[in-house]
């Protein structure tokens, strides 16, 4: 297979979570070339390619499929053909690596049971959780689960990971205040929802500072605030949209407690109503120590540079797999000489990272 062309084709058809119809069709067209695989599909866009060679445990390797609602601003000749959508997180590379791995496993006639998982909707819509909730994987004895993520900040071919908690628990949250509108000339007849929102932000920050060492242990950030309709009226509604992140489950629960009692206190103080809604949730990614050690050994054998990673507040729903099975996620360096951020409109991982990712995965699933 021409992995470079496959990556370019995938890059041109980015689709959002659970809308990866063209992507699914393209991947299936490639998988059907391999009679050694048993292909499983779902009522949504996920795919599992089963490679069974007899009795024994299975190893699971996962690649995410979805893109982001971003207008691409790269100058490559294989830019997105879908306006307002882009593979700005490298999932096109992830899928290409998994397809390359499938080909290598089959060519080597590897005597190891494997599940190759193409997972939709990693970007906030719970694709991993939905795949696991189907019960499909419960009929397999899965001993190890692997995933990688390209990095625009690491040099090409550098591998980085850590044992234990690697990516944080992350959850999106909306806080809504409802008051009563009034003309600014008669504010006493209204209930100011915007003021409640501002007071809420202040008291939440004070309570977080009392309970946590910030920014080392948690994140609680509200990046968007909407209120009111005109400049000369007291706002009846205020909505804050934010994200909460923590490495440990107890800390995440504590943040939620702070949001709840802060919201109640501010609502009573301002005479308004409040509602807190929790949205998409990523389970923390925890790397099995033995698999982490195996990764370091593989890097030595392949003469690849390995860097000890730090735990990050990034969200990754591979955490649902690493919660259920011994798991390992690692960074694969793919910058092209200039550091690039994930989710950037100019993010374009170097395709030379693709065969490196294939080789690392192959060694991981081959070694005992």
């Amino acid at each position: 297979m021409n992995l470079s062309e496959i990556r370019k084709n995938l890059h041109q058809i980015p689709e959002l979570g659970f809308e990866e119809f063209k992507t699914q069709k393209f991947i299936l067209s490639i998988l059907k070339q391999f009679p050694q695989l048993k292909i499983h599909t779902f009522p949504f866009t996920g795919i599992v390619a089963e490679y069974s060679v007899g009795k024994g445990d299975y190893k699971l390797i996962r690649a995410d499929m979805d893109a982001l609602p971003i207008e691409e601003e790269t100058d490559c000749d294989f830019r997105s053909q879908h306006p307002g959508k882009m593979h700005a997180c490298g999932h096109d590379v992830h899928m290409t690596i998994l397809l390359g791995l499938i080909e290598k496993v089959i060519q080597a006639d590897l005597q190891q049971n494997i599940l190759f998982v193409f997972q939709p909707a990693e970007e906030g819509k719970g694709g991993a959780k939905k795949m696991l909730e189907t019960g499909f994987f419960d009929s397999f004895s899965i001993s190890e689960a692997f995933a990688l993520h390209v990095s625009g900040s690491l040099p090409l071919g550098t591998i980085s990971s850590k044992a234990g908690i690697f990516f944080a628990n992350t959850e999106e949250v909306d806080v809504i205040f409802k008051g009563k509108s009034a003309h600014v000339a008669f504010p006493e007849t209204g209930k100011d929802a915007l003021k409640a929102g501002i007071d809420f932000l202040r008291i939440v920050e004070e309570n977080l500072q009392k309970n946590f060492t910030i920014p080392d242990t948690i994140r609680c950030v509200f990046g968007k605030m909407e209120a009111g309709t005109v400049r000369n009226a007291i706002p009846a509604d205020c909505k804050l949209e934010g994200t909460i992140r923590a490495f440990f489950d107890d800390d995440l629960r504590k943040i939620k407690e702070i949001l709840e009692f802060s919201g109640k206190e501010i609502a009573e103080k301002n005479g308004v109503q409040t509602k807190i809604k929790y949205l998409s949730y990523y389970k923390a990614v925890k790397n099995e120590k033995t698999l982490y050690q195996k990764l370091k050994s593989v890097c030595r054998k392949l003469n690849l540079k390995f860097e000890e990673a730090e735990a990050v507040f990034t969200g990754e729903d591979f955490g649902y797999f690493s919660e259920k099975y011994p798991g390992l996620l690692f960074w694969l360096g793919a910058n092209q000489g200039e550091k690039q951020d994930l989710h950037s409109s100019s993010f374009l991982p170097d395709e030379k990272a693709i065969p490196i990712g294939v080789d690392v995965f192959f060694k991981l699933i081959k070694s005992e």
Side-chain angles (χ1 to χ4, degrees), residues 6-281:
I6 288 174
R7 183 275 178 103
K8 290 175 181 177
N9 287 329
L10 286 168
H11 189 85
Q12 291 180 86
I13 55 169
E15 297 167 293
L16 304 183
F18 294 123
E19 299 173 8
E20 307 95 333
F21 303 110
K22 289 183 181 179
T23 304
Q24 184 193 50
K25 183 178 180 181
F26 179 80
I27 291 171
L28 288 172
S29 71
I30 296 174
L31 295 178
K32 289 175 181 177
Q33 301 174 26
F34 301 105
Q36 301 89 341
L37 299 174
K38 183 177 181 180
I39 309 302
H40 304 271
T41 56
F42 300 82
F44 47 93
T45 45
I47 306 168
V48 175
E50 175 189 343
Y51 177 79
S52 296
V53 293
K55 294 182 179 179
D57 291 341
Y58 284 77
K59 297 184 181 182
L60 182 154
I61 305 93
R62 171 273 216 173
D64 31 19
M65 301 167 67
D66 55 330
L68 289 158
I70 293 174
E71 189 68 40
E72 182 165 357
E73 294 182 325
T74 71
D75 58 1
C76 70
D77 60 2
F78 52 95
R79 288 169 54 119
S80 168
Q81 296 178 355
H82 295 170
K85 300 174 186 177
M86 177 192 174
H87 271 299
C89 202
H91 296 184
D92 54 328
V93 175
H94 300 173
M95 290 182 283
T96 304
I97 288 172
L98 194 55
L99 289 168
L101 177 64
I102 289 171
E103 181 182 48
K104 186 161 185 168
V105 164
I106 291 174
Q107 288 177 344
D109 191 25
L110 191 64
Q111 295 302 295
Q112 169 65 55
N113 294 325
I114 306 169
L115 297 176
F116 301 99
V117 179
F118 294 87
Q119 179 214 304
E122 188 274 332
E123 299 286 356
K125 294 187 178 179
K129 189 169 185 281
K130 188 164 185 175
M131 289 198 83
L132 288 166
E133 286 177 344
T134 64
F136 169 83
F137 296 100
D138 295 340
S139 60
F140 299 89
S141 176
I142 298 171
S143 61
E144 299 171 354
F146 298 98
L148 61 73
H149 204 299
V150 291
S151 166
S153 61
L154 288 172
L156 176 66
T158 296
I159 305 297
S160 185
S161 192
K162 72 178 294 293
I165 294 175
F166 189 15
F167 284 23
N169 292 292
T170 71
E171 192 162 7
E172 294 178 355
V173 59
D174 287 349
V175 181
I176 300 164
F177 291 99
K178 286 193 170 293
K180 180 182 178 183
S181 185
H183 194 283
V184 295
F186 310 100
E188 67 279 1
T189 64
K191 302 291 184 181
D192 194 336
L194 175 57
K195 180 179 180 298
I198 294 170
D199 289 347
F200 174 79
L201 290 176
R202 176 185 52 78
I203 195 171
V204 164
E205 183 64 23
E206 290 176 0
N207 287 324
L208 290 173
Q209 294 286 353
K210 291 176 184 177
N211 286 273
F212 297 103
T213 302
I214 303 173
D216 297 336
T217 56
I218 64 103
R219 295 282 193 277
C220 179
V221 177
F222 288 88
K224 185 178 179 181
M225 186 177 191
E226 294 179 340
T229 55
V230 293
R231 70 180 71 230
N232 61 345
I234 300 297
D237 300 284
C238 179
K239 181 181 180 182
L240 297 95
E241 299 179 7
T243 179
I244 56 179
R245 305 183 176 217
F247 294 121
F248 302 104
D249 293 346
D250 287 346
D251 286 349
L252 195 71
R253 282 192 289 270
K254 182 64 177 179
I255 296 171
K256 289 184 175 182
E257 289 174 6
I258 289 173
L259 295 181
E260 297 287 347
F261 72 69
S262 297
K264 183 177 180 181
E265 179 180 336
I266 293 302
E268 292 176 355
K269 176 183 175 182
N270 289 273
V272 299
Q273 296 178 320
T274 185
K275 182 178 182 181
I276 298 179
K277 296 166 62 178
Y278 298 102
L279 308 173
S280 60
Y281 170 65

